[in-house]
Amino acid sequence: MKIAVAKGDGIGPEIMQAVLSIFDASNTGLQYEFVDMGKWVFDKGYSNGMTPEAQKTIEELGILFKGPMETPKGKGVKSVNVTARKTWNTYANKRVFQSLHGVETVFSKAGILIDITIVRENIEDTYGGIEHMLTHDVALSRRFITRPGSLQLIKYAFEMAKKKGTRRITCGHKANIMKLTDGLFLDVFYEVAKEYPELNADDKIVDDLAMQLVVKPEQYDVIVMTNLQGDIISDLCAGLVGGLGFAPSANIGDHISIFEAVHGTAPDIAGKGIANPTALLLSGLALLRHIGLMENAAIIENALLYTLEQGIRTGDFGDRSKPALNTGEFTQAIIGNFGKMPAQGAKPLLSNMPVTPTVFKLENNSMMESADTEQEKIVGVDMFIESNEQPEVIAQKCLHHGGVKFKLINISNRGTQVWPTGSKYTALVNQYNLRFESLNESALKQQDVIGLYVSLSADYKVCSLELLNMWDDKKAYSLAQGQ
Ligand code: NAI
């Protein structure tokens, strides 16, 4: 079997060489097609950080094993790491955080064992990177959470949890504040949970989850999250088990999956031959299991765990009173321990059940499908305008812009209502949201909205607008704070 390999920048080539030599020593039979991705590819003028040949090879082979890559700063280019995940719809980012015997943490010292898998949505959320300056003072980021995207991720997470024999699967979210976006994610979570009654599914608000993870991490098993919150919580979990040097990551997609360490290129130690290859090795083990090389993965993992148990370490972790090995020596120590079993956490050699389930494909390109059966109508519009006038002045100017179709319902600033009622203590910025609703709750046409836009533009710059939709009798928009 052939996989695509991108060595990466900084310590990337050093740790990749270490991991591939461990694979080879365990006779995986894997062949590697090295592809050009990373900083030096940007520098050659490829604006997405990879050559067309690299893209073709990865799309043909379906598996990319990659080292960390640097995004050149100040050139306006997007991270090749994020581009790769998004281009190939690797919708699930799976990160496993396990206590490793020999890697001392406050929890290991207290005898608390951690085994947490975070399944993080990998495409949507603020990572769409759709951002605009509405005024010189006000920036806006659009946060997309979609039903099909959430469904695909959450189905994958439940399927994986079932195969893993999970005790508990928890949805982390902030649906109490972001009622529509995180609310949608949470709804989909419980819809899918109904199909898995044998799993103990629950949810936690993300701030509480963060605290609980630090206080009682052993309570958690599989955690499903949206992109940004999942990113933050997974680094928190990395800290629980000893830091980023022990944090692997698998980006799972329908056609292409990417395996990489969570950490970056570590420019401060690049070229010194002292980097810790463990996180990339753990990512490599997820790769081996993903393609069914279960026995190789178990032999290597047992050797790694045994090596760590012996107190063998690179300079970034472990008992500082013991000498640190360099990357090559650490790698040879692992290879030398093939066949040895660790005292804790030994993996069975014979297991024909991949821990990572096959990907979850949505049928019939249902990404384009809408589940809604309700009657939809436009009942108003939010007009985002630039102004440094007081709310009352804006209201007086805008009441007549409503004409015969709209009435001005309220004005808000940074999401807080400031007209018709509000507080003089609310701090204002130079961008307001004017909420217009249809008179008599009658349905509006887009042309009506354009008419309002034209009228309003006589007095103000309209920075942005959003339609207010109703689905049957349900509002498909949020209220302003205080409305
Ligand atoms: P970093 O993870 O590269 O380094 C943070 C600290 O951890 C440094 O002190 C480093 O020496 C240490 N460290 C990281 N990996 C290590 C290892 N395997 N062994 C021993 N020590 C290790 O984070 P930083 O400095 O914020 O980012 C450096 C570059 O990496 C940036 O250009 C960033 O964009 C890129 N990056 C790439 C990622 C990827 O390819 N997936 C992920 C994160 C950052």
Side-chain angles (χ1 to χ4, degrees):
M1 187 178 282
K2 219 182 220 182
I3 60 168
V5 176
K7 294 180 185 169
D9 303 310
I11 57 169
E14 302 162 42
I15 54 176
M16 185 58 81
Q17 190 194 346
V19 174
L20 296 185
S21 65
I22 294 171
F23 280 5
D24 293 344
S26 101
N27 295 322
T28 57
L30 277 179
Q31 291 177 20
Y32 316 117
E33 187 87 31
F34 292 95
V35 295
D36 298 338
M37 287 173 84
K39 181 175 182 299
W40 62 275
V41 182
F42 279 114
D43 292 344
K44 273 183 153 182
Y46 295 97
S47 61
N48 63 354
M50 67 178 108
T51 60
E53 294 77 28
Q55 177 160 356
K56 188 164 169 278
T57 304
I58 295 161
E59 288 178 1
E60 271 168 19
L61 298 177
I63 299 282
L64 171 63
F65 191 27
K66 70 176 274 296
M69 289 172 192
E70 184 183 330
T71 308
K73 291 192 183 70
K75 293 193 178 170
V77 293
K78 298 229 178 193
S79 152
V80 63
N81 305 308
V82 179
T83 301
R85 290 173 209 154
K86 289 172 68 157
T87 306
W88 295 313
N89 191 36
T90 61
Y91 58 84
N93 181 217
K94 181 180 167 224
R95 298 183 180 182
V96 179
F97 303 98
Q98 277 173 312
S99 303
L100 298 167
H101 201 197
V103 181
E104 256 193 12
T105 65
V106 281
F107 296 103
S108 67
K109 282 187 201 158
I112 295 169
L113 290 181
I114 297 170
D115 182 0
I116 297 171
T117 303
I118 304 258
V119 183
R120 163 195 165 203
E121 199 285 319
N122 219 12
I123 310 286
E124 303 184 344
D125 201 340
T126 45
Y127 285 64
I130 304 169
E131 301 196 323
H132 297 91
M133 293 302 296
L134 295 192
T135 74
H136 274 91
D137 288 350
V138 179
L140 174 76
S141 167
R142 287 188 180 236
R143 177 170 194 254
F144 285 98
I145 302 290
T146 72
R147 178 173 290 279
S150 305
L151 187 66
Q152 190 172 33
L153 171 88
I154 291 168
K155 284 217 171 197
Y156 169 82
F158 271 89
E159 204 53 35
M160 186 216 71
K162 185 173 150 185
K163 289 204 172 142
K164 188 170 173 262
T166 292
R167 295 164 286 151
R168 178 181 183 189
I169 177 164
T170 306
C171 179
H173 63 88
K174 194 75 184 170
N176 53 329
I177 302 295
M178 294 177 281
K179 292 183 171 36
L180 297 188
T181 47
D182 274 25
L184 171 64
F185 191 77
L186 187 59
D187 282 351
V188 174
F189 176 82
Y190 280 116
E191 276 167 32
V192 176
K194 283 190 208 139
E195 297 167 29
Y196 297 84
E198 69 278 26
L199 296 183
N200 179 10
D202 66 349
D203 70 279
K204 275 262 170 273
I205 292 177
V206 64
D207 35 344
D208 184 23
L209 177 65
M211 197 264 291
Q212 296 280 343
L213 279 167
V214 173
V215 176
K216 289 182 180 166
E218 72 280 13
Q219 292 184 336
Y220 290 93
D221 197 337
V222 172
I223 304 176
V224 191
M225 303 194 74
T226 52
N227 203 339
L228 177 60
Q229 293 168 29
D231 195 12
I232 297 165
I233 291 293
S234 51
D235 271 25
L236 183 152
C237 290
L240 300 177
V241 297
L244 289 183
F246 304 95
S249 163
N251 301 283
I252 309 289
D254 272 358
H255 306 286
I256 294 164
S257 293
I258 304 170
F259 297 83
E260 60 183 334
V262 173
H263 63 69
T265 59
D268 49 336
I269 56 166
K272 295 184 181 165
I274 57 170
N276 178 2
T278 306
L280 190 65
L281 180 57
L282 291 170
S283 313
L285 295 178
L287 185 161
L288 296 184
R289 293 192 166 107
H290 187 80
I291 59 178
L293 295 175
M294 309 303 287
E295 195 175 340
N296 294 87
I299 291 170
I300 297 171
E301 188 162 2
N302 287 336
L304 168 68
L305 296 178
Y306 181 87
T307 306
L308 295 172
E309 273 181 6
Q310 301 305 303
I312 294 171
R313 66 182 198 97
T314 48
D316 55 310
F317 75 99
D319 181 351
R320 310 276 152 168
S321 65
K322 292 189 177 165
L325 302 190
N326 66 29
T327 312
E329 292 162 343
F330 186 73
T331 304
Q332 285 311 315
I334 295 170
I335 294 171
N337 286 330
F338 279 180
K340 305 238 172 80
M341 295 301 253
Q344 265 187 27
K347 304 293 169 209
L349 294 187
L350 290 176
S351 149
N352 49 16
M353 177 71 81
V355 175
T356 311
T358 44
V359 296
F360 187 83
K361 279 189 191 167
L362 289 173
E363 286 156 23
N364 308 326
N365 192 19
S366 48
M367 295 300 276
M368 293 299 171
E369 243 170 51
S370 166
D372 75 80
T373 49
E374 301 100 336
Q375 194 70 32
E376 181 177 295
K377 64 176 177 180
I378 301 170
V379 294
V381 61
D382 279 344
M383 292 286 187
F384 297 83
I385 62 154
E386 178 168 359
S387 170
N388 48 23
E389 295 164 327
Q390 287 300 306
E392 187 57 41
V393 177
I394 298 173
Q396 289 315 316
K397 277 195 197 166
C398 289
L399 281 168
H400 79 275
H401 287 303
V404 294
K405 299 259 174 168
F406 296 90
K407 59 177 181 263
L408 180 63
I409 293 294
N410 81 329
I411 301 178
S412 57
N413 194 293
R414 292 194 288 170
T416 304
Q417 177 170 296
V418 291
W419 183 92
T421 56
S423 164
K424 64 180 179 182
Y425 296 111
T426 302
L428 303 172
V429 297
N430 66 352
Q431 189 269 309
Y432 289 88
N433 178 16
L434 312 183
R435 175 158 290 182
F436 290 92
E437 287 182 1
S438 66
L439 283 170
N440 313 321
E441 293 196 339
S442 52
L444 295 162
K445 296 197 179 74
Q446 294 201 70
Q447 286 87 333
D448 300 326
V449 173
I450 293 166
L452 175 62
Y453 185 107
V454 172
S455 176
L456 208 54
S457 64
D459 280 320
Y460 295 106
K461 183 182 116 191
V462 180
C463 317
S464 172
L465 68 85
E466 289 292 343
L467 299 179
L468 303 180
N469 294 305
M470 289 278 281
W471 294 336
D472 287 342
D473 55 357
K474 206 169 88 195
K475 287 186 166 83
Y477 52 92
S478 60
L479 299 181
Q481 201 81 42
Q483 189 179 354

